[in-house]
Amino acid sequence: MTKDEVLAWMEKELGLRSYLAIGDSGAIHRLEWIAVAMTLGDWTLDDIKSAIDQTAAIKPLPRRIDEIHRLLERQRQAKWRTAVNSE
């Protein structure tokens, strides 16, 4: 998937018309980074969906996006540590 396709998918999952209308430039940047990192193979759609599901109760939306990003980053770091330790 391309970055734009991932962003469109995340908009649908989060119930947004446009992620650019969030009004928080930090949250917008994090969503864009998640989309780019997914295209680079850091995460899968299942990883992102899991993080979205885990944060369903978090309000407001910028805080939820921060938590989604944090969960995904922790997952990536754990994968990296596992790979380094297995060498």
Side-chain angles (χ1 to χ4, degrees), residues 34-54:
I34 291 168
V36 169
M38 190 267 173
T39 63
L40 295 174
D42 290 351
W43 302 304
T44 65
L45 284 179
D46 289 337
D47 296 334
I48 298 169
K49 175 71 171 139
S50 175
I52 289 171
D53 291 345
Q54 290 177 54

Side-chain angles (χ1 to χ4, degrees), residues 23-40:
D24 181 309
S25 61
I28 292 168
H29 176 75
R30 281 182 284 289
L31 280 178
E32 290 175 338
W33 175 245
I34 291 168
V36 169
M38 190 267 173
T39 63
L40 295 174

Side-chain angles (χ1 to χ4, degrees), residues 20-85:
L20 294 172
I22 293 172
D24 181 309
S25 61
I28 292 168
H29 176 75
R30 281 182 284 289
L31 280 178
E32 290 175 338
W33 175 245
I34 291 168
V36 169
M38 190 267 173
T39 63
L40 295 174
D42 290 351
W43 302 304
T44 65
L45 284 179
D46 289 337
D47 296 334
I48 298 169
K49 175 71 171 139
S50 175
I52 289 171
D53 291 345
Q54 290 177 54
T55 61
I58 297 176
K59 304 279 188 234
L61 185 59
R63 187 167 158 237
R64 182 178 181 194
I65 293 168
D66 288 347
E67 185 64 13
I68 291 167
H69 185 257
R70 188 186 67 75
L71 289 169
L72 291 168
E73 282 295 327
R74 274 195 174 164
Q75 180 183 27
R76 179 171 43 185
Q77 290 171 4
K79 284 181 187 176
W80 180 79
R81 275 189 231 110
T82 302
V84 168
N85 291 335

